[in-house]
Amino acid sequence: MASVPVIPDSYNHVLAELECLDPLLSALRLDSSRLKCTCIDVSKRWLALGSSGGGLNLIQKDGWKQRLFLTHKEGAISQVACCLHDEDYVAVATSQGLVVVWELNQERRGKPERIYVSSEHKGRKVTALCWDTAALRVFVGDHVGKVSAIKINTSKQGKAAATFVMFPVQIITTVDSRVVQLDYLDGRLLISSLTRTYLCDTEREKFWKIGNKERDGEFGACFFPVGKNSGNQQPLIYCARPGSRMWEVNFDGEVQSTHQFKQLLSSPPLPVVTLRQDPHYTGSSCSPQSLSFSKLLYLTEHCVVTWTERGIYIFLPQSLQVLLWSEVKDIQDIAVHKSELFCLHTNGKVVHLSLLLVDRCIERLMRRGFWTLAARVSCLFQNSIVSCRARKNLPLDKLEHLKSQLDASTQQDLTAQLEELIAKLEPLDSACSSRRSSISSHESFSVLDSGIYRVISRRGSQSDEDSCSLHSQTFSEDERLKEFPAHHEDEQLELENVSHASVVVEADRNETFLPFSIPLSFRSPSPLVSLQAVKESVSSFVRKTTEKIGTLHISPESRGKHEAKDDEQLPELTLNPVASPQEEKESEPQNSQLPEEDHLRNLKAATAETIAKLQDPLVLLEPQCMRRVLQEWLVHLEEKFSQEHSALSVKKNKTVCAEEQRAVLEENLQVAPADRDPVDKEQNDILEDCIEKENTAETCVSKSMCESGTDVTVPLGCGFQVSPPCAIEPDVLKDLVELTTLCFELCVFAAGSAEAEESSEGSLPPAASGTLACRFMQSYFFLLDLKRVKQRIITMCASSPDVWETYIAGLKEITCHSPVALAMESEDMLKILKLLHDLGPWDNSPLLLAHAQRLYEKFGETALRPLIKFHPSLLPSDIKQLCRNDPAHFLAYLDSLVKSKPEDKRPFLLRSLLQPESVRLDWLCLAVSHDAPQRANTVDEEGNPRPRSHLFTWGYSQLILLLIKLPADFVMKEKMADICKSHGFWPGYLFLCLELDRRTEAFTNIVHLDDLSLLNGEDGSIPETIEEWKFVLHLAQNHSTASHQHSPQNGIAVSNRGLSCPDCITVENVALLLAKAIGPNRALPLLQECGLTLELSERFTGVCEILRIAEKRQRALIQSMLERCDRFLWSQQA
């Protein structure tokens, strides 16, 4: 028997044609030379086939029973699209460019009717149709790149609405070339043209180009929806690229990576399972394929399907794998629904293929009675069948039955191959057989649509021998544990919600299935009671130490979730360095709550009274009255939450908490040193690290402030109070935050002292006021609205850098245990930025500032440019504070932020950032003083421009021009003009002179710059009156004389007649410009009046003569055209 090549076990999917549609096409008369199928689409219910005769055939897929036939007199059907979310609608494009939308009225058993006909693309070839995934809207693309949207008004809303309300066609965009493919998902429209792919937000009317590199040819693109279990992960986009490549793009249109499939496609093609021919597999590799994927379609279970003239290709792009590729020739188009593929060939034939697991394919073939084909497929894919652990669809008895259906006399080779396969599946080793039966008895499994077998084990992770010997004891223990099902589940859920739940749960799982005859030092006579006691004690320990040791065992994904929760709760709820008040409240006895309420009773009353006073207009509109009211209230706040009182209470709580934690572990985890479990050792180490961490927590802020150079006169051992020292009701906390923040904004930092009165009145020097502000923030950081405090510091405390440093130190204290802070120890900035991005969205959270400060301190200017992705959560004013010691770094960030937007959006962005307006002058001074030419090269000794100095390169010229050209008042423009002149930025100075109507000054500087191109009409710098022309001519005469006198010294030969430098400003060049502007006949008398005719050469005379001839011919042409129009109008009247 000759050996037959078998397919490797890595391939477990196959394309199968289980139903032949040729009889259907014959019944529809779509198999003739005169009439054939031209387009195809499929939905859950319908198979839609458009024909060259203008008919649309709708076939019900369930049994291929019902048929609807829709006729069109507008030409052949070129495109068809079924509405997937409401299958009562279908859109059709004809060869004349008309788009017709049909309502099938299947629910009311009525006749199909046209409800919309669009002629927007009439005379063009419609190349793509796509339905909205939620609304009744159709997107249309044609061969010139025009994309429109048709909104449908359904008759289901009432006949009157459908008859009298017709929404106009909306033009989405016009791209640069033919539309190849359209796709839509969650408010985003994907447009793939011959050169590039575009992403459109149809709700906000925003457009993005995907990638920077163009392409030339038909390349598709599609959305890649995420699975149901992917959480908040956004969909992806895949765009075809030349050379068998794909771009992986996020939902915002940013290219994440490029996938190369060229080498992976060197594998041999898999056969298509069909009754037309026997499946054949060569086994020999082919050369790598460099292909162009004309369309990309999303297939079920994270697959993308495409095709070429050679075959069909199915990829798993997320894992960079080729699921399979099969040779199928001459494919014109493919429509997919779930795992079904309907292939339209160039000859009009339609083939129905299904993507199936090999065992499911064999099972379906056997069900239909195709025994020979099922046996051949089994033999070809025997490696996949043998290596498959779960054979739910293809057990041994089915294979035996398949062998019995073969003809032993005529199919000897096939029968022998099948016998070999069965022998591989059923070894003669009884031990292996018993092991397999043991697995089947202890495990259940289910087969997912993707082919993955999910095994659900009902036993522990012991070896086979241990599991066999302990099975009876384990089963009895399971029965005893069923007496407390609810309690066990609650404990399990509780353990899963903590940071090191994986350790505890794994330990519990192993303990549950251990034989209880093994002596353990901490096990009581009743195993169940012991187990529950250990769970309760460990759970209590976990609840109290989650905040401290969570970062030691937490996964990166879980870190992101915890950090996101912390960000959402601020500023009202902040990260507590010790156990949270709610947890301590639960652990304390019930009667301990009454003294706490009495403790805050006076503060609550004072807060309510203060809020009532502040609502009085006489107080609210008078800042001094507000300050006095707040000072009176601040006395009560200091009594309850002073720094010294909080420090003592926090220290006491930490000590009690640490003692309780150690007592819990020592009581429940007492084991001999030799028999100690690794999990117990790990927990004990965690406890020691936790206590050591608590002992050093009080000084972490002071150390960080000392390292950053903060000079605040407060006790070094006095840290930030970032969490309430006791439980505070949410409503009370909200009022306290409002009043405390108002105190900071009005500089009410202390109560009942002369220093406090001076600070509130503003009479204290900035240094002293800044010191009080720092102390105030340290004491009441947990009661401050961090966003408002930041804005106050930026606008009013610019002269006190210590205040900003203290604010940043407080934010660092809050985020000291975040995953980003821990990741700072590594040198991988990109990894830190990705982690920071994954923790978003930040929604303007001030905590992002702390992470940005850490990045800047570690990586310097390199870390600032990537931070533009976090705008507007990070504003330029924040970055300016971070790098105030090096303004050049801020300037680089600002320039990168502005350039990250399209050119038409940059002025709007910059205008939104100029808050307050005065920062424009600061930014302009920075831009003209960094990466700029030397002033001596642009300005001479007399303060005039040096010739051609406006052509120097300025590093931030685009930013400077944007700042200058934004709307501003007269005073602001004068200040900006002075800045530009003092630094020699002449393009901006000339623009501002024209804006301020200082035209004489502008012309003077243009002549000094000696560039004739500046005297043009594009920006209004050309002279407009005769007086201005005379002024410019005299300036040119004086400039030419001065240049001629100094030319031997400079080594530049400048001719007065302008022959050697046609772009220089000379009398003759200005005279020629005058002749072109007002005509030679008017220019010559003006030059004679100024006495400048002697300065002109024969060249001027020749040019003027040419201008006269051109003017004469132009007048003659206009006269001739007018006479013809006149004759035509008279002939029409006659």
Side-chain angles (χ1 to χ4, degrees), residues 970-985:
F970 186 83
V971 176
M972 178 65 69
K973 290 180 180 179
E974 282 190 330
K975 293 180 179 179
M976 291 192 295
D978 294 339
I979 293 173
C980 291
K981 184 177 181 179
S982 62
H983 289 83
F985 185 72

Side-chain angles (χ1 to χ4, degrees), residues 115-116 151-155 157-168:
I115 59 175
Y116 205 106
K151 188 175 181 181
I152 310 302
N153 187 29
T154 171
S155 62
Q157 300 173 354
K159 273 290 183 184
T163 304
F164 297 107
V165 180
M166 295 291 288
F167 295 103

Side-chain angles (χ1 to χ4, degrees), residues 143-433:
H143 76 286
V144 299
K146 188 175 185 179
V147 181
S148 65
I150 304 172
K151 188 175 181 181
I152 310 302
N153 187 29
T154 171
S155 62
K156 297 178 182 179
Q157 300 173 354
K159 273 290 183 184
T163 304
F164 297 107
V165 180
M166 295 291 288
F167 295 103
V169 176
Q170 178 187 3
I171 304 302
I172 300 295
T173 185
T174 300
V175 296
D176 52 0
S177 57
R178 177 164 65 92
V179 176
V180 177
Q181 187 177 359
L182 296 175
D183 199 6
Y184 186 88
L185 182 68
D186 294 345
R188 302 286 174 94
L189 177 65
L190 195 63
I191 305 173
S192 183
S193 69
L194 294 176
T195 57
R196 61 170 65 249
T197 304
Y198 302 85
L199 182 63
C200 309
D201 189 332
T202 57
E203 297 176 357
R204 295 184 291 176
E205 297 183 356
K206 291 186 177 181
F207 302 88
W208 300 272
K209 292 180 181 179
I210 295 180
N212 297 321
K213 297 182 180 179
E214 294 188 352
R215 64 204 184 191
D216 185 13
E218 292 190 0
F219 295 91
C222 71
F223 286 106
F224 195 85
V226 297
K228 297 180 180 179
N229 299 325
S230 300
N232 295 326
Q233 181 182 354
Q234 287 188 325
L236 297 174
I237 301 171
Y238 286 99
C239 305
R241 298 291 300 167
S244 302
R245 290 177 298 152
M246 287 186 198
W247 273 345
E248 182 176 304
V249 185
N250 64 16
F251 207 51
D252 295 326
E254 300 173 347
V255 178
Q256 303 295 309
S257 58
T258 302
H259 298 327
Q260 175 63 264
F261 295 99
K262 182 177 179 180
Q263 297 297 330
L264 296 176
L265 292 175
S266 61
S267 59
L270 295 186
V272 177
V273 177
T274 174
L275 293 173
R276 303 175 190 268
Q277 59 183 9
D278 291 338
H280 179 68
Y281 180 74
T282 59
S284 58
S285 300
C286 57
S287 59
Q289 302 182 57
S290 180
L291 306 174
S292 300
F293 304 135
S294 59
K295 282 187 180 181
L296 297 180
L297 301 176
Y298 173 75
L299 203 60
T300 184
E301 293 298 329
H302 308 296
C303 299
V304 171
V305 62
T306 185
W307 67 92
T308 64
E309 66 279 356
R310 183 177 179 184
I312 299 175
Y313 305 83
I314 301 179
F315 301 102
L316 295 172
Q318 288 185 303
S319 57
L320 196 59
Q321 294 180 1
V322 178
L323 186 67
L324 62 85
W325 81 274
S326 300
E327 285 188 343
V328 183
K329 303 289 186 180
D330 302 326
I331 296 179
Q332 176 182 331
D333 196 7
I334 290 181
V336 300
H337 181 260
K338 293 188 176 181
S339 60
E340 294 180 307
L341 292 82
F342 291 85
C343 306
L344 173 63
H345 291 260
T346 54
N347 58 2
K349 299 295 183 182
V350 179
V351 176
H352 178 201
L353 301 178
S354 300
L355 177 65
L356 298 171
L357 286 165
V358 172
D359 52 355
R360 288 180 179 268
C361 176
I362 297 171
E363 191 267 339
R364 292 191 184 184
L365 290 173
M366 294 171 59
R367 192 185 305 165
R368 287 169 169 80
F370 303 140
W371 306 107
T372 302
L373 184 58
R376 293 188 183 278
V377 174
S378 301
C379 296
L380 277 177
F381 288 92
Q382 58 180 282
N383 288 333
S384 177
I385 297 175
V386 169
S387 63
C388 186
R389 292 181 56 192
R391 293 184 296 274
K392 183 178 180 181
N393 296 320
L394 201 63
L396 287 176
D397 55 351
K398 284 192 176 182
L399 291 177
E400 292 284 358
H401 180 66
L402 174 60
K403 186 185 73 171
S404 65
Q405 298 297 322
L406 300 178
D407 190 347
S409 59
T410 59
Q411 298 175 324
Q412 295 179 357
D413 292 344
L414 189 58
T415 304
Q417 295 175 18
L418 199 58
E419 288 177 348
E420 292 181 0
L421 172 60
I422 295 174
K424 293 178 181 179
L425 295 177
E426 184 62 35
L428 297 178
D429 187 2
S430 60
C432 294
S433 178

Side-chain angles (χ1 to χ4, degrees), residues 893-904:
Y893 165 83
L894 181 63
D895 188 60
S896 300
L897 176 62
V898 173
K899 289 181 179 179
S900 66
K901 302 296 181 182
E903 291 188 8
D904 57 334

Side-chain angles (χ1 to χ4, degrees), residues 522 530 533-534 536-538 663-671 680:
F522 61 90
S530 263
V534 170
E536 290 173 359
S537 60
V538 174
V664 168
L665 281 189
E666 290 177 355
E667 179 182 357
N668 296 293
L669 301 178
Q670 291 178 356
V671 293
D680 303 335

